[in-house]
Amino acid sequence: MNRPTYGDAYDSGRHEAETPAARRHGLDPGTLGPNEEMVLRFLYYSLPEPPVSAVASPSWASDEGGGGVGVDRISVLPDDLLLNIISRLPARDGAHTTALSSRWRRLWRSAPIVLIDTHLLQGGAAAEGRRPPRDGSVSRAVTSAVSAALEAHQGPFPFVSLTCSFLQQADHDVIGRWVHLLATKGVDELVLVNRPWLVHWLFLPVELFVSCSSLRRLCLGTWLFPDTRHLPRGATTFLKLRDLVLGCSIIFVDFFDFVLAASPELEILTHVGSATASARLASRSLRCAQFCISAVDDVRKINLLRCVLVRIRIGHAPQLRVLGYLEPGVQTLRIGNTTIEVGTKPSPATTVPSVQVLALAVPFHIAIRVNITPSFLRCFPNVETLHVESKRFLETTGDINDNPNFWNETGRIECIQSHLRTMIFHGFGGEDCEFAFLMFIAENARVLETMVILFEDGLREAVGATALCSAKWTSGESKARFVASRLSGIGIAWSLKAAADFSFDDPFLCL
Amino acid sequence: MAAATDDAGDSNEMIRVVSSDGEHFEMPEAAANLSLVLRHMIEDDCADAAGIPLAVVAAKPLAKIVDYCTKHAAKSSGLTIEEAEELKRFDAEFIEVDTDMLYDLLVAADFMGVEGLSKLAVQRTADLIKGKTPEQNRETFGIVNDFTPEEEEEICKENEWAFQITKPPSRLC
């Protein structure tokens, strides 16, 4: 039997998400707790791929014949070709070309160069991007080399990635100088991640937010952000900034106001594992906002939202198409000025008709959480694709949901009755309370085309599934397909990069 | 696959080009269009039976470029994953050439405005330079060291950071 495509996408994504990301940060295992480990792994996984690799090409036909060619033809190539070649070299190899001959002496300084600090490591560590596991002579040598390279080169820098240094409060001048040089010489894409975790209480220099106007992409990790309340308002510093990643940082209230106002072209905002009291997203350009493993509330005025938040307020978002994961009962949802509660009657003031893809995480065994779920669903009357993550292993206090007729008694839910075409149930555990929800969908979703139920591999026997297949499907014959998944039951899997790729319609399937 | 072939064969016309040393070559119009210079000539109706003369491109590199363009034009749009991989393999084998041919391709691709090939040749050259000491690179590329010992010392000082972390090369720094 052919496996459904949903299951395939799910499983292959899982494999890819886990293998290369494992320990990419390279820190000493002893330095991090399990949560920090998880968040950092996630952050490093979401950093952009460098455009230049330190992997050399060992093979060359003439090397085999003893190496060396007679006539120097490379040095007579025109400047722009040589500059082009140099700009594809790792920084150190590039700087080495200054020592070749007088013809090469001045070229490197004016070639646009890619500066990646892992390339400044010794031998194999550079090619593999193995970052130093702890603060010490290796990381200090890299920090000094970065400083010297930034001083020596005239810029601009198309891509700079600095992720090896362990900067502490005493290094305030170092980061200050880096930012100053980058701001004055010009940088297009900048990745700036301090190590190991937020222990050094080092503030990012304000200059980054007021002078780095050439940036198109910016990734910042494990920093203490400056208090932007004192910065001048109304300045559009980041005229070209399209993609902003913030991770594992302390970010002040009002920062989002500031940075969104300063970035008129910003399309993708990603926020990983940072504590933030409030993120008010008011932007005309933003197309995708992702908040992962974060504590944030208050979100308004954007076109597309993909998130894990605590309190959400949707103000004015007429083009919000994708939303999730919402956790009814954990998160408070406000639409306009109405807080959604059990029994909130749907009205134009409490609905977001633009949302077509919705994802919910629900512990079906906890009464208080299930009870409010219909109210959440009623806020999004036009949902065509619904993802539901069953949170079976959630430890929580609260009464057990023991009403088998809960869903039948809940009344009409517009999106399920009239619009739902695709239902994907993640983490199915074969429990009665989960069945009750799926039966409700089967018996009420009139235009349903597909119901995919992903279950944990080990539960194949327990799932059985016969009851659902013999249900009275209002859409005709049974639409249920059961798919075993290694992922089920261990929480929500997510790929920041795939989710921010606008060529995919449904980010909850792009792992 | 079928779509890609159709694209390449939109016009079945063959374009003739003549190398600096007088050799004639032919390629489909879609292939010639990958060269900015040839495309402009075709658009300006300069492509005739006598062939477009390329004054600075000799027969040897031109034969390679015709190969490259013909292959890439046949697979220009709507690539499947397999086709993209195959094209990548073709590129990798294609650029395994000696230094003389590499320089010829660098110059010719640049002159003819064949962007993909230009990138490929530049990347190949960079990959050959990477991870070697200046002395090794001089040997590989036949570059003559025209610095005085004092100048060498000055250069090392200027970019000490680059010469320090790496293993010291045999001669310089």
Side-chain angles (χ1 to χ4, degrees), chain A residues 53 60 73 99-100 102 105, chain B residues 99 104 130 138 140 142 146 158:
Chain A
S53 132
W60 192 355
R73 287 187 59 198
L100 288 172
S102 50
R105 172 83 201 264
Chain B
T99 35
D104 286 341
K130 266 185 215 172
R138 275 196 215 110
T140 321
D146 56 357
E158 244 170 53

Side-chain angles (χ1 to χ4, degrees), chain B residues 1-85:
Chain B
M1 184 80 186
T5 320
D6 285 344
D7 278 353
D10 258 350
S11 103
N12 285 327
E13 221 170 298
M14 295 299 275
I15 300 295
R16 292 199 176 131
V17 287
V18 187
S19 71
S20 60
D21 39 0
E23 258 190 67
H24 288 248
F25 295 88
E26 266 192 358
M27 62 183 137
E29 187 173 331
N33 276 333
L34 291 182
S35 153
L36 208 61
V37 168
L38 293 183
R39 201 176 77 209
H40 288 161
M41 300 281 277
I42 294 165
E43 281 165 6
D44 294 346
D45 277 335
C46 298
D48 54 21
I52 300 170
L54 293 165
V56 300
V57 187
K60 247 177 91 183
L62 188 53
K64 286 279 281 181
I65 293 175
V66 168
D67 260 8
Y68 176 91
C69 290
T70 308
K71 179 80 178 178
H72 276 257
K75 306 235 158 146
S76 57
S77 60
L79 285 184
T80 64
I81 293 170
E82 290 78 27
E83 284 170 334
E85 299 255 302

Side-chain angles (χ1 to χ4, degrees), chain A residues 51-63 66-75 77-78 80-81 84-86 88-93 95-106 108 115 120-122 141-142 144-146 148-149 152-153, chain B residues 96-108 110 118-147 151-152 154-156 158-167 169 172-173:
Chain A
V52 165
S53 132
V55 180
S57 163
S59 64
W60 192 355
S62 66
D63 275 350
V69 287
V71 189
D72 177 7
R73 287 187 59 198
I74 193 168
S75 297
L77 292 174
D80 58 345
L81 266 177
N84 203 344
I85 291 166
I86 292 169
R88 280 160 201 266
L89 293 171
R92 190 175 54 192
D93 290 312
H96 281 179
T97 62
T98 59
L100 288 172
S101 72
S102 50
R103 166 81 179 99
W104 292 77
R105 172 83 201 264
R106 302 278 163 211
W108 174 74
L115 178 60
L120 301 171
L121 294 160
Q122 292 265 21
V142 171
S144 315
V146 167
H153 197 273
Chain B
E96 282 276 336
V97 293
D98 61 23
T99 35
D100 270 340
M101 180 56 90
L102 188 57
Y103 300 139
D104 286 341
L105 289 177
L106 277 169
V107 174
D110 192 45
S118 214
K119 271 192 186 153
L120 185 65
V122 165
Q123 187 61 53
R124 171 68 176 165
T125 316
D127 287 345
L128 289 170
I129 295 173
K130 266 185 215 172
K132 299 202 178 84
T133 63
E135 187 51 40
Q136 286 168 330
N137 274 323
R138 275 196 215 110
E139 223 167 84
T140 321
F141 293 95
I143 299 167
V144 178
N145 182 0
D146 56 357
F147 291 127
E151 280 174 320
E152 279 195 15
E154 195 192 316
I155 292 163
C156 278
E158 244 170 53
N159 285 307
E160 219 176 344
W161 60 274
F163 295 100
Q164 230 171 22
I165 301 186
T166 185
K167 275 185 281 175
L172 188 94
C173 309

Side-chain angles (χ1 to χ4, degrees), chain A residues 466-486:
Chain A
T466 45
L468 194 60
C469 293
S470 60
K472 193 166 165 288
W473 290 71
T474 180
S475 54
E477 62 195 15
S478 168
K479 302 293 194 305
R481 290 189 299 181
F482 285 82
V483 179
S485 163
R486 279 172 293 144

